[in-house]
Amino acid sequence: MDAKDRQKVFERSHTIINLTKSIRSTPSNSSLWLQRAEELHQMGYTDLAVGDVWKAAMLNDLKIETTHRVRAQLGAKGTKSRLETILDSQREVYVSLACFLLLLEDYAELIEICDDGLAKYGVILQEVFSTFRTKAEEQLGSRSPGLNVNTKAETLYKTYHGAGEFEKSLESAFSRFLAYPFMPPEYLRRQPKDVAQSKLLFHTGTTTCHLLSSSVRKWDESHDVFGIFATRNIEAGETLFEDRTILGSCSVSASAPSTLPEEYVNGIRARLCENCYGITYREITACCCETYYCSIHCRDIALACYHKVLCGKDFTWLFDDCKKLPKSVAGNGPLWLRILAICVQSGLHPLDHPIIARLTPNYVPVGRKWSFTNMTKQPFEILGALGINACKDERYDSWVLHTIWARVLNNRCLEHTCNLGSNPNESKHYDLNVVSPMYSFFNHSCEPNAMSQGVTRYPTTEDFEGCYGGTTKVMKATRGIRRGEEVFVSYAEFEGGETREDSV
C-alpha cells in the first residue's frame, strides 16, 4: 500500500468514525446508516455494509408505516411530500442492497430482494431490478451441479442429503471472517480471566483431565493454543467427562409454543427438553409456561441463562424460514436465537459473555458460507423480538454479530439425529447444532485417543428418568492414555463420512 492509498484509508476511517458518532446521536436517521454502509463497502467490508443498509431499510419501513397511519387518521394533508421523501430513500436503500449482494455473490437472496423491489417500486426501478435479477440468474445457472466441485464430495453430499439439497447448497454465498482493525484489543484474543474460567470448568467438571498450553503449537504473543491433558493414567473405554452445554439449537422449537411433532411411545408423549434437546418422557415444566425439560438441572439453568427473555414469545416464523434454506445453513437461525437470548438475558456485551469470550475464531483468507438471511435479517429480527433495537444498541452492531459467528463457527459441531419415536424406521428427524464448552478445547489428531458419544441414559416407561439424543457429550478414551499425555479427537470427519482430505 503506497502513501496515497494509506491516506485514502485514513480519510475513510475518519469518515466512518464521524458517521458512527452521528448515528449514536440520531440512530433513527436512515441516511446516516446508508452513508456509513457505502464507506464500509469502500473499505472492503461489504458484509458489514449489508447490515447498515438493512438497518436503513427497517427504519424507512417503520417511517412509511407511521406515515400511512397518520394519513389514515388525519388525511393526506401535509404528509404526501414526507412520504415521497421516505420512498425515495427506500428505493436508494434497495438498490444499494442489491449491489452489495451481487458483490457478495449471494445470488439466490439477491433474486428475492429484486422481486420485492419490483413489487414495491416496479414502475420507477423496473429496469434496474430486472438487470440485477438477470445477472443473479445467470450466475446461479453457472453454478451447475458438478461444476468445479469435488466429485467424491458431491456424491457423499447427495447420498446424505439428497440431490435437491446439493443443488440448494450451490446457492450459498461466501465471505471472509476478519479480525476488524477497529475492534477493541480485549476482543482480539482470550483474556486471562477467560482462560482462568475455562481451567476452572475442567477443575470442577472432571478429575481425569485439565487444561494446559497445547503440545501441538506453543503459546506466543498472537496465539493462545490450549489442549486437554490427562491428570492420571486412563484406561481404554474409560469416561473422561460429560460435557453439558447451553449453547445449542435444534431444527424444531422446544420452547412453548413448540414445533415438535407429536410422538408417543407406549401411549406416553415424548417431549423435547428446551435446554439440552434430549428426548424425555418426564413432564418437568417451567413455572411460567408449558416448556418441558428432562431434569430439574436443565430447567434451572434455562431459567437462569436464557428462558426468561424467550418466555411468551412465538418464534415459529424463524423455524418456518429455516425450512426453506439448505441444511448446511438451516440450523443457523435457531442457533442465533439461543446465542442472542443468552446474551440479552445476561445484560452483558455479547463479546464479554463468558460463553462467547472463551471461544476463539479461525480467521482464514478463504471464504466461509454467508447469507443475507442468516447473517443480517434473522439476527436483527430475533433481537427485535427480544426487545433490543439493533439501530440504537451498539453492543449488537454487525461487526459484533460477525465476530460472534466467527467464534461459534470455529467450535460448532453439527449433529444429525433421527431418534424421536419408538420405531427407528419411522422416527421423526431433527438436527442439532452444538458448541460444547469443554469439547471445544480438544485439538485434532489423525490418530485420536478419545471420541465423543451422545448421552445413552434411555428413559423407561416405568420411571421416565433421563433423556437421550441431546447436546450433552460423553467423552471416552479410545485407547490407554498416560498421565501428562495430551488428549486428541478427530474432527476431520464431515457429514456423510467425508473426511477433510476428501473435501480438499
Side-chain angles (χ1 to χ4, degrees):
M1 185 184 293
D2 58 25
K4 187 176 181 181
D5 288 335
R6 285 196 297 271
Q7 180 62 26
K8 285 183 179 180
V9 170
F10 174 80
E11 290 174 358
R12 290 199 180 279
S13 299
H14 190 66
T15 301
I16 290 173
I17 291 170
N18 287 333
L19 284 168
T20 302
K21 291 178 180 177
S22 299
I23 287 170
R24 195 174 294 139
S25 301
T26 54
S28 61
N29 188 332
S30 58
S31 65
L32 290 175
W33 288 107
L34 194 57
Q35 289 175 53
R36 196 178 79 162
E38 182 58 34
E39 295 298 329
L40 285 169
H41 163 60
Q42 293 297 332
M43 287 281 286
Y45 304 122
T46 307
D47 51 347
L48 299 185
V50 168
D52 279 9
V53 167
W54 192 243
K55 288 178 183 178
M58 292 191 299
L59 289 168
N60 282 338
D61 278 340
L62 182 61
K63 291 174 184 177
I64 291 169
E65 180 184 338
T66 303
T67 305
H68 280 306
R69 188 166 59 249
V70 171
R71 293 187 73 183
Q73 293 173 349
L74 304 178
K77 186 177 180 180
T79 61
K80 186 175 181 180
S81 59
R82 171 176 167 76
L83 181 61
E84 286 301 320
T85 300
I86 300 170
L87 289 173
D88 285 342
S89 173
Q90 192 70 324
R91 294 182 190 108
E92 185 180 359
V93 165
Y94 264 73
V95 172
S96 295
L97 180 58
C99 286
F100 295 153
L101 292 181
L102 183 63
L103 291 169
L104 289 168
E105 301 182 1
D106 194 356
Y107 302 124
E109 298 195 80
L110 171 57
I111 289 173
E112 291 185 15
I113 289 296
C114 288
D115 289 343
D116 192 26
L118 284 167
K120 292 178 178 177
Y121 318 113
V123 176
I124 299 175
L125 296 174
Q126 183 172 0
E127 184 177 350
V128 173
F129 286 121
S130 296
T131 301
F132 276 122
R133 199 183 197 288
T134 300
K135 288 182 179 179
E137 288 176 336
E138 289 173 353
Q139 293 298 324
L140 274 180
S142 68
R143 290 181 178 178
S144 58
L147 180 65
N148 296 326
V149 177
N150 182 308
T151 305
K152 187 174 180 181
E154 176 182 339
T155 302
L156 287 166
Y157 197 100
K158 286 181 177 179
T159 301
Y160 194 72
H161 294 300
E165 281 295 323
F166 177 76
E167 292 178 14
K168 275 187 182 180
S169 73
L170 297 177
E171 299 176 2
S172 299
F174 292 86
S175 180
R176 290 182 301 149
F177 289 110
L178 305 168
Y180 301 109
F182 44 78
M183 287 172 62
E186 61 268 25
Y187 297 145
L188 291 174
R189 59 179 299 164
R190 275 188 291 243
Q191 297 300 298
K193 62 180 177 62
D194 304 319
V195 175
Q197 288 176 344
S198 298
K199 289 184 176 181
L200 180 62
L201 187 68
F202 280 85
H203 180 72
T204 57
T206 178
T207 59
T208 62
C209 308
H210 59 170
L211 198 63
L212 298 172
S213 294
S214 177
S215 59
V216 175
R217 184 170 61 181
K218 297 300 182 184
W219 186 94
D220 60 40
E221 291 298 325
S222 59
H223 298 93
D224 53 350
V225 183
F226 291 91
I228 297 173
F229 291 79
T231 57
R232 58 173 174 78
N233 291 336
I234 300 171
E235 296 181 1
E238 186 176 344
T239 297
L240 303 177
F241 54 79
E242 192 172 281
D243 197 5
R244 296 173 179 266
T245 183
I246 61 170
L247 195 51
S249 68
C250 185
S251 55
V252 294
S253 173
S255 304
S258 173
T259 59
L260 181 71
E262 287 194 11
E263 182 71 24
Y264 292 84
V265 178
N266 297 330
I268 301 171
R269 173 78 183 272
R271 307 284 186 181
L272 194 64
C273 176
E274 181 194 41
N275 185 58
C276 71
Y277 299 107
I279 302 301
T280 183
Y281 305 116
R282 305 187 74 184
E283 294 193 353
I284 298 173
T285 61
C287 57
C288 49
C289 64
E290 291 187 2
T291 297
Y292 291 87
Y293 303 93
C294 68
S295 65
I296 300 296
H297 169 82
C298 274
R299 182 194 66 187
D300 290 349
I301 200 168
L303 290 171
C305 296
Y306 57 85
H307 178 78
K308 291 177 182 177
V309 297
L310 295 176
C311 189
K313 298 178 177 67
D314 188 352
F315 288 95
T316 304
W317 60 268
L318 177 65
F319 293 89
D320 289 342
D321 279 353
C322 293
K323 294 175 184 176
K324 306 170 188 175
L325 298 170
K327 285 187 179 180
S328 57
V329 295
N332 294 352
L335 187 56
W336 269 122
L337 178 60
R338 178 60 62 87
I339 293 168
L340 295 174
I342 290 170
C343 295
V344 170
Q345 183 159 318
S346 74
L348 298 170
H349 188 291
L351 297 178
D352 286 329
H353 195 291
I355 287 179
I356 303 299
R358 71 165 66 104
L359 302 175
T360 55
N362 183 17
Y363 296 128
V364 291
V366 297
R368 299 289 185 89
K369 283 188 176 180
W370 185 96
S371 79
F372 171 54
T373 294
N374 280 161
M375 296 304 299
T376 304
K377 282 182 68 177
Q378 286 180 338
F380 287 170
E381 288 180 39
I382 291 168
L383 286 168
L386 297 178
I388 298 294
N389 187 324
C391 297
K392 293 182 178 180
D393 197 331
E394 288 184 284
R395 296 177 301 171
Y396 295 93
D397 206 350
S398 292
W399 73 266
V400 176
L401 297 177
H402 287 209
T403 300
I404 291 172
W405 197 250
R407 296 182 184 187
V408 168
L409 195 64
N410 191 42
N411 295 275
R412 178 182 65 171
C413 298
L414 296 174
E415 299 185 0
H416 298 271
T417 309
C418 288
N419 59 356
L420 174 58
S422 54
N423 185 347
N425 297 320
E426 299 177 358
S427 60
K428 303 298 189 298
H429 179 79
Y430 68 100
D431 302 329
L432 299 176
N433 274 277
V434 188
V435 180
S436 301
M438 298 169 75
Y439 182 87
S440 61
F441 282 99
F442 278 111
N443 288 310
H444 165 77
S445 172
C446 292
E447 297 180 350
N449 51 16
M451 64 178 293
S452 68
Q453 296 178 351
V455 174
T456 56
R457 292 191 297 274
Y458 288 89
T460 66
T461 55
E462 286 76 27
D463 58 22
F464 314 123
E465 293 291 334
C467 67
Y468 64 95
T471 57
T472 300
K473 293 180 182 294
V474 178
M475 300 306 303
K476 298 272 190 179
T478 57
R479 63 166 174 81
I481 303 173
R482 300 186 308 276
R483 178 183 178 182
E485 183 181 354
E486 184 165 0
V487 185
F488 293 97
V489 296
S490 172
Y491 40 73
E493 291 183 355
F494 285 67
E495 298 169 2
E498 182 187 357
T499 64
R500 179 176 293 172
E501 289 77 11
D502 292 333
S503 69
V504 175

